Amino acid sequence: MENMQLLVLVLSKYEKLDKFLVALDKAGIKGATVINSAGMARLLNGETDAILGSIRAYLSPEREDNRTVFIVTCQEKIKKAIDVIHDVFGTLDQPDTGVLFVIPTIYTEGIISC
């Protein structure tokens, strides 16, 4: 399938994940995969130099994991998905909120057409 994109959303604060998935469905985006993930600073556990230990303390050490959402969809739906992200989570420009990026795919199979 051509013109497909991979949207990756890494959420540090994932309390609204269920609301987000429902909103995606209502927006006509029917497929997403969610996995547990952890960032490098959280995994290092303060075992390297002092700066990384400080970063870990800053990144809310009481929560040990993130959620990473993968969405493969046609290019036309990417803007809609980003709008849903902003509606549910707000902008991701604050520390320890999330990371979002989109990359083109070379080949996809098994994806429901757009």
Side-chain angles (χ1 to χ4, degrees):
M1 207 175 266
E2 295 184 27
N3 294 323
M4 300 295 279
Q5 305 284 314
L6 169 63
L7 182 148
V8 178
L9 173 63
V10 181
L11 291 170
S12 298
K13 297 182 179 176
Y14 54 84
E15 294 82 10
K16 298 178 183 177
L17 182 59
D18 290 342
K19 178 180 177 181
F20 169 62
L21 296 174
V22 169
L24 280 177
D25 186 57
K26 287 181 181 177
I29 299 165
K30 302 296 182 186
T33 298
V34 181
I35 62 170
N36 290 352
S37 56
M40 184 174 118
R42 294 175 203 259
L43 293 175
L44 286 175
N45 222 5
E47 295 178 13
T48 60
D49 65 18
I51 189 81
L52 289 175
S54 299
I55 291 171
R56 178 174 165 71
Y58 180 73
L59 293 175
S60 305
E62 66 276 0
R63 183 173 43 244
E64 293 297 326
D65 60 352
N66 304 316
R67 297 295 183 270
T68 300
V69 181
F70 298 95
I71 301 170
V72 177
T73 190
C74 56
Q75 188 172 350
E76 297 79 30
K77 289 189 177 180
I78 291 294
K79 172 70 170 107
K80 190 182 291 189
I82 293 170
D83 289 343
V84 170
I85 291 166
H86 290 155
D87 288 346
V88 174
F89 300 106
T91 62
L92 303 177
D93 56 358
Q94 297 300 313
D96 200 29
T97 305
V99 174
L100 168 67
F101 60 93
V102 178
I103 56 176
T105 62
I106 295 172
Y107 176 81
T108 61
E109 188 173 326
I111 305 294
I112 298 171
S113 71
C114 294

